[in-house]
Amino acid sequence: MHHARPRSRRIMAAAVTVALAAGALTALPASAAPAAVQEQAQEQGQAAVTFPRDADVVGAGPGGFLSRTRGTTPEFRWTRYADGSSTMLPGASAAGGGTDLVVTGDRAVLTVSSVLKVHDMAKPDAAPVVLDLDALGGYSYAGLTGDTLLLGRDENGYETQYAVTLDADVLAGGVPKPRKLLGGVQIRCAGADEGWTGGGSALYDCELGEHRTSAKILVDLATGEDTWFIQAQGDLAWWGAASATHAAWRESRRGGSGIVAVRRDAPLQEVWIPDSAGWGDPLYLVGGWLATGERARIEQSADVDGGSNPTRRPFTLRSAERPEEKFEALTAYSSAVAGPGGSLLVRGGTAEHGEGLYRISPRADGSRPDVELVASTGQSTVVSLLGSSTPDELTGAQVARGVDLGWDLSRADSRVGLTVTHVPSGTTVHDSWDSDGTAAGTPRRITWHWDGKDLEAGDRGAPARNGEYRWELTARPDEGIGPELRVTGRFSVTRPAAPHDYDDDGAADLLARDPDGVLWRFGTRPAADGATPAATGASRVGGGWKAYDLLESVGNIAGGSAPDSVARDSSGTLWLYQGTGSRHTPLAARTRIGGGWQVYDRITGGSDVTGDGRPDLLAADKAGDLWLYRSTGNAAAPFSARKRIGGGWDIYNELTATGDLAGAGAGDLLARDRAGVLWLYLGRSDGTFAVRTRVGSGWDAFKGLTAVGDADGDGRADLVAWNHGETFYAGTGDASAPFRRGAGAALTQGASYDSLF
């Protein structure tokens, strides 16, 4: 949307005549690749023109262009279109203004330089003209447009604007003759180097009166006439540009931000174009076309790992009189300067031609400007993926050994970011790589080594969880120019379901109820060489567990993929808590199994006693009878009718279903008698057990025994005995001596608890 809004302005007539010669260069066809730029130029009898890498354009004339390398100590180089040769210019700063004249300064910033040198690059053998601004009268550099040097001087607290024509007399060493601009009135005006000044004119950013009302003042340097555009109270103008036919600037109004555009022959008929670009985004003009974009800077391009600015706005041209008519001229850009004939020279890139210096030239009929590449860096704007080596599926063993993922990129001078996400939990890890300094066009391989540890920060080396993983690789040329490469892929980690693995990472977990009734999950991870497992992170499951007088992990009885738990309340009701496989919410909401379970004083589960592939439940009643509850895999009715196995089990005060402890494939059972002797009952896979064998004595030192499956990673079932701490008993797989010597283990990290299961 746009509209004309006449406002109170002091306006003086302006007439502009521009006669600047444009350099004759041949545009490449749209299909030409960056590598073909020099080849085609040579085939057509032209010299190859190269734009320096890691540099910006700071001046351009009919005969060549001025570039500035990036860094703390920049180099200024004039490159000629005719033969591609270049000349280094001494000086700490430099600028051009649409002709082959170049101004250099003795300070890093031209506006604070005391001594300027004017170089006529069309006459490479001519000595530069030295201008001592202090000796001339205390002036400061304000800009260069065409053959006019713009100066400023502080006079009675106000910055008065001056102009010096760099005519043949001055270039021959004559004394410059500064002339006042803006009628010499005492107003505060910034220099004319804020944006592009072209078309034999300069656009100043000024403040008027004691209220410092914002204003733009356009000066015709040929006639000295000026046109004032005064902003309404509270409005603020900044970046501006002028061409032979138009003037435009960014403006902030109470209704929002936008661009004001006017025809110089009808300055009262402004066009308002809403635009939300930031304060630092310059504005340029090519005839009657506005050119805007977001400048790319080296320091801005390190945000590929998820920063606030992952992509850049393209360099776009829009008709000042028909704002709905626009097109993308360049993928991105880093600098732009006025060129001859009202053209704009832009350092940027396109997907077709790659990186380099582009000339955007107005057409006499006001139609869409021409865009052509005039000097190439040889770099591709587009970063492409040449190939990759990423898995589709990983087993637990593969993850435990570590995995390398690799990607081959077309540009070595790219900053690369990688995000890997565990999809079920949403946990994410980031990594990044800076440019390796290799020349553009050289392929580069990015390798990411995953050590097989969980992606969740702070979980102290827990194994990676099962499930789907998503990776996303982003790459952008290190100077921030060009589109971002963004590729994604997926792989999965799969392991067989493991007993006591509540968070689906293949390692044993322990559930513990503290004295306040809060339930906690404590993770473990296998240690090297079968040593005692190490503790990883802990997570709070929830409160209210003091309502139960019995808690037991019973394995996967309800048909899911994670182990389940049962809890009995004081009324004798047994409740099922299905496992979810989620680290922070390992148990789903409870469902009622049934009542009458107060007749049992010992309940255990986790061993496949019947040989059907599902763990079963065993319960000993107060009369000493042992009952088998065969699991169904159905959460609504998880057990079949109970079956009596035998009597005399009242001699035991602890029963622990261990799974396959002896390596025979059946579910086994440990029983501790009241004298502290531990007995092993080997399962027969038919719902019965073999005759017991003695494991050892002294087990009455422990309050409870918890079968944790394979916690040390050696493939055999293990046991945790607990009281005021934990002792780990590594399984041997030998029925005659099922455990190695116990070893202290801080698996609950010193927490207090009254139940561990």
Side-chain angles (χ1 to χ4, degrees), residues 107-195:
R107 303 283 180 86
V109 179
L110 270 172
T111 54
V112 298
S113 294
S114 299
V115 177
L116 303 179
K117 291 183 179 180
V118 181
H119 307 257
D120 187 351
M121 302 312 299
K123 301 175 181 179
D125 296 331
V129 175
V130 178
L131 300 180
D132 188 329
L133 299 184
D134 289 340
L136 188 63
Y139 295 95
S140 61
Y141 174 86
L144 178 65
T145 175
D147 62 355
T148 302
L149 179 66
L150 303 174
L151 302 174
R153 185 168 65 178
D154 188 347
E155 298 179 357
N156 299 321
Y158 292 90
E159 186 76 8
T160 303
Q161 305 301 320
Y162 288 83
V164 171
T165 301
L166 300 174
D167 54 21
D169 181 61
V170 173
L171 295 178
V175 178
K177 300 176 181 179
R179 62 182 186 277
K180 283 186 178 182
L181 301 177
L182 310 179
V185 295
Q186 291 185 332
I187 56 177
R188 298 175 179 86
C189 291
D193 59 344
E194 59 167 276

Side-chain angles (χ1 to χ4, degrees), residues 25 61 67-68 159-160 262 272 399 406 454 546 637 656 673 687 734:
L25 293 176
S67 60
R68 176 190 188 275
E159 186 76 8
T160 303
V262 298
W272 169 254
V399 174
D454 193 86
K546 214 165 187 177
T656 304
D673 65 25
D734 182 357

Side-chain angles (χ1 to χ4, degrees), residues 653-675:
N653 60 13
E654 180 78 6
L655 297 178
T656 304
T658 61
D660 182 13
L661 186 64
D668 304 322
L669 179 68
L670 289 174
R672 183 185 64 188
D673 65 25
R674 300 184 188 282

Side-chain angles (χ1 to χ4, degrees), residues 183-560:
V185 295
Q186 291 185 332
I187 56 177
R188 298 175 179 86
C189 291
D193 59 344
E194 59 167 276
W196 178 44
T197 57
S201 58
L203 186 65
Y204 286 91
D205 191 12
C206 302
E207 293 177 340
L208 311 179
E210 60 178 326
H211 297 295
R212 296 195 170 187
T213 300
S214 181
K216 287 288 185 183
I217 302 179
L218 178 64
V219 180
D220 186 319
L221 297 173
T223 65
E225 294 183 346
D226 49 68
T227 305
W228 294 39
F229 303 93
I230 303 173
Q231 276 65 57
Q233 189 68 34
D235 292 356
L236 180 64
W238 65 99
W239 280 102
S243 71
T245 58
H246 289 74
W249 58 88
R250 295 193 183 278
E251 187 168 310
S252 175
R253 299 177 178 176
R254 295 175 185 176
S257 298
I259 297 172
V260 176
V262 298
R263 289 185 58 90
R264 294 177 63 161
D265 59 2
L268 280 176
Q269 300 176 13
E270 75 172 36
V271 175
W272 169 254
I273 306 169
D275 187 275
S276 59
W279 282 81
D281 289 348
L283 174 68
Y284 310 94
L285 270 171
V286 181
W289 289 76
L290 301 162
T292 59
E294 181 181 9
R295 286 189 295 187
R297 300 180 178 90
I298 294 175
E299 64 270 23
Q300 289 180 328
S301 60
D303 52 11
V304 293
D305 58 348
S308 61
N309 191 20
T311 57
R312 304 206 172 278
R313 295 191 298 277
F315 195 68
T316 302
L317 268 68
R318 178 200 306 254
S319 171
E321 299 179 22
R322 304 176 303 280
E324 67 281 355
E325 185 178 344
K326 59 182 179 179
F327 71 98
E328 181 180 316
L330 302 174
T331 302
Y333 90 112
S334 63
S335 53
V337 295
S343 64
L344 185 68
L345 278 296
V346 187
R347 168 68 175 93
T350 66
E352 295 82 5
H353 300 314
E355 295 299 306
L357 185 66
Y358 286 80
R359 181 167 55 209
I360 304 176
S361 305
R363 290 185 174 181
D365 61 2
S367 61
R368 177 181 295 192
D370 295 318
V371 180
E372 57 183 338
L373 177 68
V374 296
S376 173
T377 66
Q379 298 166 288
S380 171
T381 294
V382 177
V383 186
S384 59
L385 181 69
L386 303 179
S388 63
S389 56
T390 56
D392 293 324
E393 185 174 10
L394 296 169
T395 66
Q398 289 173 315
V399 174
R401 291 193 299 267
V403 181
D404 287 321
L405 285 72
W407 299 267
D408 295 307
L409 304 180
S410 63
R411 284 190 63 163
D413 61 332
S414 300
R415 295 177 182 242
V416 182
L418 175 67
T419 299
V420 181
T421 302
H422 179 239
V423 176
S425 66
T427 54
T428 296
V429 67
H430 302 281
D431 207 344
S432 61
W433 297 262
D434 288 335
S435 168
D436 66 0
T438 307
T442 303
R444 178 187 186 189
R445 183 168 181 80
I446 297 295
T447 301
W448 182 67
H449 177 74
W450 185 24
D451 60 6
K453 299 298 187 293
D454 193 86
L455 303 184
E456 185 169 356
D459 209 43
R460 301 202 294 182
R465 281 172 272 186
N466 288 330
E468 186 177 54
Y469 287 78
R470 180 180 184 272
W471 57 262
E472 180 177 77
L473 187 80
T474 58
R476 186 184 307 131
D478 58 1
E479 61 188 2
I481 296 179
E484 179 182 73
L485 170 70
R486 188 178 295 268
V487 291
T488 62
R490 293 175 183 261
F491 62 89
S492 62
V493 174
T494 58
R495 303 180 183 89
H500 262 268
D501 179 15
Y502 280 93
D503 61 354
D504 207 23
D505 66 358
D509 299 292
L510 291 168
L511 298 179
R513 180 181 64 185
D514 69 20
D516 295 324
V518 176
L519 190 66
W520 297 83
R521 182 204 62 84
F522 292 93
T524 71
R525 60 178 171 86
D529 301 323
T532 302
T536 59
S539 57
R540 186 181 188 274
V541 179
W545 289 79
K546 214 165 187 177
Y548 302 117
D549 61 9
L550 184 147
L551 299 168
E552 184 71 21
S553 178
V554 294
N556 175 18
I557 63 172

